[in-house]
């Protein structure tokens, strides 16, 4: 149940951000993913999201405020994610969480975002988020595993449980 709500929450955030980012893409992005990061995301998906959610549950924490600021920055201009990270590095506890599960400490949340958008791109076509071709190729290599992790979870209704 926890896994379902975590995955559903992540997908809700991704789909919400997709609606906010319908902008013309003009800048060239740099590759952000590594094979280690993609494998770490696949292997530790649940633990990683549980850790992020634990930080977000404490709305007054530095980590929750940073995640919210990152989302707001993406909402304003998706092309500025890397610039935001350069000016506003992730708090140390978040960096440690990202590194623990195979992601880059400083760009872990951007790596998660790129993975989610790359999977969506491969399943639904063009998305309003620029992804480097090397990142798309890397996600495609592990598409089956990541597609399974990020697929929407059906919502159980009262009539379903009877």
């Amino acid at each position: 149940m926890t896994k379902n709500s975590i995955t559903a929450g992540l997908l809700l955030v991704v789909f919400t951000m997709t609606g906010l980012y319908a902008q013309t893409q003009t800048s060239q992005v740099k590759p952000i993913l590594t094979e280690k990061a993609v494998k770490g995301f696949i292997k530790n998906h649940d633990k990683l999201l549980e850790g992020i959610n634990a930080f977000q549950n404490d709305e007054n924490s530095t980590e929750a405020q940073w995640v919210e600021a990152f989302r707001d920055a993406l909402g304003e201009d998706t092309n500025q994610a890397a610039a935001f990270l350069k000016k506003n590095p992730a708090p140390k506890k978040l960096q440690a969480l990202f590194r623990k599960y195979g992601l880059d400490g400083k760009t872990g949340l951007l790596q998660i975002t790129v993975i989610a958008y790359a999977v969506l791109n491969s399943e639904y076509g063009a998305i309003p988020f620029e992804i480097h071709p090397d990142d798309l190729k890397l996600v495609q290599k592990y598409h089956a595993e990541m597609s399974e992790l990020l697929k929407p979870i059906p919502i159980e209704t009262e009539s379903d449980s009877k």
Side-chain angles (χ1 to χ4, degrees):
M1 183 65 169
T2 301
K3 177 183 176 186
N4 292 347
S5 63
I6 291 169
T7 302
L10 175 66
L11 288 174
L12 179 62
V13 168
V14 169
F15 288 131
T16 300
M17 291 187 325
T18 301
L20 296 173
Y21 309 132
Q23 306 173 20
T24 304
Q25 304 292 322
T26 57
S27 69
Q28 288 292 327
V29 295
K30 295 181 180 182
I32 190 77
L33 298 178
T34 62
E35 189 133 3
K36 178 184 176 188
V38 172
K39 286 180 177 180
F41 179 82
I42 292 168
K43 181 179 178 186
N44 302 299
H45 174 261
D46 293 335
K47 293 175 187 174
L48 181 61
L49 295 179
E50 285 173 15
I52 293 170
N53 283 339
F55 285 126
Q56 287 188 284
N57 288 336
D58 179 7
E59 295 174 5
N60 295 322
S61 73
T62 303
E63 294 78 17
Q65 292 171 2
W66 183 87
V67 170
E68 186 67 29
F70 179 79
R71 271 194 296 224
D72 290 347
L74 282 177
E76 292 173 18
D77 185 355
T78 56
N79 294 318
Q80 296 303 314
F84 173 86
L85 292 174
K86 200 174 262 193
K87 288 182 203 173
N88 306 290
K92 299 290 184 205
K93 289 180 182 178
L94 270 175
Q95 287 187 32
L97 175 75
F98 296 144
R99 281 192 299 270
K100 180 177 180 179
Y101 297 118
L103 300 171
D104 179 76
K106 294 182 180 178
T107 61
L109 193 54
L110 181 57
Q111 288 177 313
I112 293 169
T113 304
V114 168
I115 288 169
Y117 274 118
V119 171
L120 288 172
N121 182 64
S122 67
E123 294 192 10
Y124 299 107
I127 55 165
F129 185 83
E130 190 175 2
I131 301 172
H132 193 278
D134 291 348
D135 290 343
L136 288 171
K137 287 178 190 173
L138 190 53
V139 169
Q140 190 60 37
K141 181 177 178 180
Y142 296 97
H143 182 264
E145 295 97 325
M146 287 193 285
S147 180
E148 186 64 27
L149 289 173
L150 297 175
K151 73 179 179 182
I153 306 296
I155 298 172
E156 185 175 310
T157 63
E158 191 175 311
S159 63
D160 292 339
S161 62
K162 291 182 180 180

